[in-house]
Amino acid sequence: MADEVVLLDFWPSMFGMRVRIALAEKGIKYQYKEEDLRHKSELLLKMNPVHKQIPLLIHNGKPVCESLIIVQYIDEVWNHKSPLLPSDPYQRAHARFWADFVDRKVYGVGRKLWATKGEEQEAAKKEFLEIYKTLESELGEKPYFGGETFGFVDLSFVTFYSWFYVYENFGKFSMEAEFPQIVAWVKRCMQKESIANTLPDQKKIYEFVLELKKIFGLE
Amino acid sequence: MASEDTVKLLGFWASPFSRRVEWALKLKGVDYEYVEEDIFNKSSLLLELNPVHKKVPVLVHHQKVISESYVILEYIDETWKQSPLLLPQDPHERAKARFWARFGEEKLLLASSGAMWSLGEEKERLLKLAIEAMEKIEEEIKGKEFFGGESIGYLDVALGWISYWLPVWEEVGSIQILDPLTFPATTSWAKNFLNHPIIKDNLPPRQKMIPYFHERSKFFSSLPPGWIKI
């Protein structure tokens, strides 16, 4: 029986990118549907009535929501190649802990950095630098967060790379100067086809944010 | 027993987060050493074991440290594979269980505890959000004895706070969220959950919870508004 895999997504979403990379890593064929978040499709509203959010994976008609939950689902169903999580329970717990850290801290602070001004933005910048410092410290001398190979934590965080130019521009700092290990790690990850082919160009994301700021009167 | 086999849990008596880890360990029949942490005067041990969040619960097993209660629950299920299996076997059901556990935490728990201590318009806003979230939980439990089906599972343990902490928060905050008439299925589940032999012997004393949460309410309502992010 052929698997039917559909991904409802939005091209600049770092959460959606995680799923795209996971699908690419596993070599899964799927139908990509771009959502207009200001005019959400019937399918999205029907399949994710609770949050009405992307990314949303529909596998043989059954919906799976929340990017890290989707990634784990993909890893469990298509378990014949390219494991995304380690097999050891402690390594898995360690990976889940850090992916959860990325989920809870990285998106919010990045958004505050480009969406605010003045004192609020200064506070966001301070918080941003602290959070990334924690991640830089966790990465340490390892080639990947997962150790010798690319894994779950790397997947959860690497998608923010597309947004680095936005953060640098609005935060007025250099990622390379502040976080050399993270930048080296990103460059390493970008050598993987699944990542290089998935992550949108940083300038495109920057233009998208400029548009967003105009639309929401955040200039 | 070799010391590396020791399971240690740092917890706090009133925390629903450390309690859910205890439920999981007890359901699996895993022996552990419980260390009560004074979260208002954190020990150097806690700060050393969980430097990132500085919170309980923290599980130490074979000298390996795991924090974040949901991460710990999955670790317990994967390490001690005996019955009961907490997470469903089917990947889609597992994804659903993880989804609802997260929903319970991000939408229902935050709004409920926030509604308890906040005042005025903010209290009304959070109460409304909590009730809306409860409506979705009710849909999930309809027709089932436990979220896990016929037996207690991961999602029951994750949402178990609803059966015992929520009524305390309702009393302290003079609010009602789990109305038995509006939410008969959740109310019935809560009764079943509390009657489970492992759960009913592992709950913090209610007469201590009430004054404790009154104190916490006073503290939180004295903070500047806009503190709660929901």
Side-chain angles (χ1 to χ4, degrees):
Chain A
M1 181 185 72
D3 272 319
E4 205 208 336
V5 182
V6 179
L7 174 66
L8 274 67
D9 200 349
F10 181 51
W11 71 270
S13 163
M14 357 25 196
F15 304 105
M17 288 174 215
R18 292 168 172 171
V19 180
R20 284 175 246 160
I21 293 171
L23 291 166
E25 281 287 297
K26 298 281 189 179
I28 298 165
K29 287 195 170 56
Y30 65 99
Q31 187 189 8
Y32 179 91
K33 284 190 189 219
E34 184 73 26
E35 281 285 325
D36 175 357
L37 297 186
R38 282 174 293 163
H39 301 104
K40 292 176 180 177
S41 71
E42 282 296 310
L43 185 63
L44 177 60
L45 299 176
K46 178 174 144 210
M47 289 282 172
N48 187 0
V50 176
H51 296 310
K52 307 176 177 58
Q53 279 172 353
I54 56 89
L56 176 69
L57 191 82
I58 307 173
H59 179 212
N60 293 333
K62 289 198 199 158
V64 186
C65 325
E66 302 287 312
S67 62
L68 292 184
I69 294 176
I70 299 172
V71 169
Q72 288 183 86
Y73 174 82
I74 289 170
D75 204 37
E76 287 164 16
V77 172
W78 289 275
N79 55 11
H80 57 290
K81 78 181 254 208
S82 303
L84 300 169
L85 274 113
S87 49
D88 170 71
Y90 173 66
Q91 296 300 330
R92 289 163 77 82
H94 192 82
R96 286 182 176 128
F97 174 88
W98 282 103
D100 174 71
F101 177 88
V102 172
D103 242 13
R104 285 200 280 152
K105 304 278 187 183
V106 177
Y107 174 76
V109 79
R111 191 178 196 283
K112 269 191 271 184
L113 196 58
W114 63 258
T116 62
K117 286 197 285 243
E119 262 183 45
E120 229 187 313
Q121 192 183 48
E122 274 310 305
K125 180 176 172 179
K126 192 165 168 276
E127 204 190 333
F128 185 100
L129 295 175
E130 274 167 22
I131 288 166
Y132 276 65
K133 196 157 140 246
T134 304
L135 287 165
E136 174 112 332
S137 157
E138 168 56 22
L139 178 62
E141 300 294 317
K142 305 196 295 281
Y144 299 98
F145 282 92
E148 292 304 309
T149 49
F150 181 88
F152 193 58
V153 183
D154 303 278
L155 179 58
S156 70
F157 185 35
V158 76
T159 59
F160 287 85
Y161 174 59
S162 291
W163 286 72
F164 279 9
Y165 182 69
V166 169
Y167 301 146
E168 286 175 310
N169 199 282
F170 289 100
K172 298 194 180 25
F173 63 89
S174 152
M175 286 294 288
E176 180 129 34
E178 296 285 340
F179 308 111
Q181 310 270 55
I182 288 178
V183 171
W185 159 78
V186 153
K187 292 201 172 120
R188 201 170 293 128
C189 291
M190 285 297 276
Q191 287 173 21
K192 286 173 80 67
E193 224 176 283
S194 60
I195 297 170
N197 289 345
T198 297
L199 297 193
D201 183 70
Q202 290 187 340
K203 293 277 158 66
K204 272 213 171 113
I205 297 281
Y206 177 68
E207 280 158 28
F208 165 72
V209 169
L210 291 180
E211 261 309 299
L212 216 58
K213 282 174 77 98
K214 231 188 275 178
I215 293 169
F216 290 106
L218 295 168
E219 286 158 311
Chain B
M1 184 164 47
S3 63
E4 321 87 69
D5 279 351
T6 310
V7 179
K8 199 192 285 207
L9 174 67
L10 273 75
F12 178 63
W13 68 273
S15 159
F17 312 107
S18 59
R19 193 64 59 153
R20 60 169 65 125
V21 174
E22 291 198 81
W23 291 336
L25 289 167
K26 288 208 149 67
L27 283 164
K28 294 273 196 182
V30 175
D31 282 329
Y32 63 99
E33 180 199 339
Y34 177 79
V35 177
E36 179 70 22
E37 182 70 32
D38 178 0
I39 58 173
F40 303 103
N41 193 11
K42 291 174 183 181
S43 70
S44 53
L45 177 66
L46 176 62
L47 300 177
E48 183 195 313
L49 293 178
N50 189 2
V52 176
H53 297 305
K54 306 176 176 56
K55 285 185 183 163
V56 294
V58 178
L59 191 82
V60 186
H61 178 225
H62 286 329
Q63 292 164 342
K64 291 178 280 201
V65 182
I66 303 118
S67 7
E68 288 303 299
S69 66
Y70 284 167
V71 177
I72 300 173
L73 290 186
E74 296 221 28
Y75 175 81
I76 289 171
D77 207 31
E78 289 171 4
T79 303
W80 291 280
K81 298 204 213 293
Q82 65 267 29
S83 177
L85 284 177
L86 296 177
L87 275 139
Q89 294 285 73
D90 171 70
H92 189 252
E93 292 300 311
R94 289 162 81 86
K96 272 173 70 181
R98 287 172 176 145
F99 173 86
W100 286 109
R102 196 174 160 139
F103 177 86
E105 208 82 325
E106 289 176 1
K107 302 290 177 190
L108 185 57
L109 191 146
L110 277 187
S112 304
S113 53
M116 164 183 65
W117 55 258
S118 53
L119 307 160
E121 260 181 46
E122 183 67 352
K123 192 181 188 82
E124 284 310 309
R125 184 183 78 90
L126 292 168
L127 186 58
K128 187 164 173 282
L129 284 175
I131 292 170
E132 276 169 12
M134 189 61 88
E135 284 165 9
K136 304 199 163 71
I137 298 287
E138 176 79 3
E139 278 309 303
E140 268 315 291
I141 191 62
K142 260 201 183 108
K144 296 198 279 215
E145 198 184 332
F146 294 102
F147 286 99
E150 280 158 39
S151 53
I152 204 169
Y154 170 85
L155 191 51
D156 301 280
V157 171
L159 298 177
W161 63 269
I162 295 172
S163 69
Y164 194 75
W165 273 257
L166 185 57
V168 169
W169 296 346
E170 286 173 324
E171 184 177 319
V172 168
S174 302
I175 49 175
Q176 186 180 46
I177 296 166
L178 185 52
D179 173 5
L181 293 175
T182 321
F183 305 119
T186 309
T187 305
S188 166
W189 162 81
K191 271 208 195 75
N192 282 340
F193 185 80
L194 286 178
N195 269 331
H196 190 286
I198 298 284
I199 306 301
K200 73 166 168 226
D201 284 340
N202 214 327
L203 295 165
R206 198 168 199 274
Q207 71 270 24
K208 268 181 86 180
M209 298 255 279
I210 301 280
Y212 171 77
F213 283 106
H214 265 295
E215 275 307 303
R216 294 309 285 155
S217 284
K218 259 193 266 176
F219 168 73
F220 284 121
S221 55
S222 70
L223 293 175
W227 176 88
I228 191 163
K229 287 173 179 62
I230 180 173

